[in-house]
């Protein structure tokens, strides 16, 4: 009777990648730990003091633009096409060079651009358009 010896199954190719994968994971752990270390506590840094705090900062004048394009200046409602003179009076009373615009989402871009052009002619230096944070 002849003995039938089984041969070892051939070695699979991917087994040689396992040590490489182990080294890559070790390097990943090393760089994660080395990158999150805090700076030494013995280094003293003197931070500068700001000129204005949030309490002292002047709030800008707020203009509201309705969906139909009309602009609210305090208690007055005006058409943006003739807003220049009214804006000059309104902002002179307030003494403001900064303006925040709260425009309705349905307001036309034309009304907003007419208002911004009138603000530029009046001499407003900074205009901020207020929006809601997206969901």
């Amino acid at each position: 009777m002849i003995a039938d010896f089984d041969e070892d199954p051939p070695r699979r190719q991917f087994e040689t990648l396992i040590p490489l994968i182990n080294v890559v994971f070790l390097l990943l752990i090393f760089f994660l730990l080395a990158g999150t270390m805090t700076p030494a506590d013995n280094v003293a840094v003197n931070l500068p003091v700001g000129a204005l705090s949030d309490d002292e900062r002047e709030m800008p004048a707020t203009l509201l633009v309705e969906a139909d394009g009309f602009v609210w200046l305090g208690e007055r409602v005006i058409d943006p096409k003739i807003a220049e003179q009214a804006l000059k009076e309104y902002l002179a009373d307030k003494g403001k060079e900064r303006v925040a615009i709260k425009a309705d989402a349905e307001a036309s871009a034309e009304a907003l651009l007419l208002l911004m052009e009138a603000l530029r002619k009046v001499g407003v230096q900074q205009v901020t358009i207020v929006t809601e944070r997206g969901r």
Side-chain angles (χ1 to χ4, degrees):
M1 173 164 175
I2 299 176
D4 206 7
F5 294 105
D6 291 345
E7 292 183 18
D8 289 340
R11 195 166 194 200
R12 291 180 283 187
Q13 192 78 14
F14 71 89
E15 287 180 1
T16 58
L17 293 178
I18 292 175
L20 177 66
I21 292 170
N22 290 340
V23 169
V24 168
F25 278 121
L26 286 174
L27 286 172
L28 177 68
I29 291 170
F30 170 77
F31 286 119
L32 283 173
L33 291 175
T36 58
M37 290 185 176
T38 59
D41 291 333
N42 60 357
V43 177
V45 176
N46 294 326
L47 298 175
V49 178
L52 294 175
S53 69
D54 288 337
D55 298 335
E56 298 171 352
R57 193 171 186 177
E58 176 185 325
M59 295 302 295
T62 303
L63 307 177
L64 304 172
V65 180
E66 293 180 326
D68 57 5
F70 286 99
V71 179
W72 283 82
L73 300 175
E75 300 295 319
R76 286 176 55 189
V77 179
I78 60 168
D79 188 341
K81 295 174 185 163
I82 56 171
E84 187 175 343
Q85 186 60 33
L87 281 169
K88 188 178 281 187
E89 295 168 8
Y90 178 73
L91 295 173
D93 292 342
K94 297 230 178 235
K96 306 258 182 171
E97 294 179 345
R98 296 174 47 218
V99 174
I101 299 174
K102 292 183 178 180
D104 191 285
E106 302 297 319
S108 68
E110 179 186 7
L112 195 57
L113 289 173
L114 286 170
L115 177 62
M116 292 175 72
E117 181 66 22
L119 289 169
R120 184 187 65 78
K121 288 179 182 176
V122 169
V124 172
Q125 304 216 349
Q126 181 182 2
V127 176
T128 304
I129 298 177
V130 180
T131 62
E132 288 184 357
R133 184 180 299 256
R135 296 180 210 329

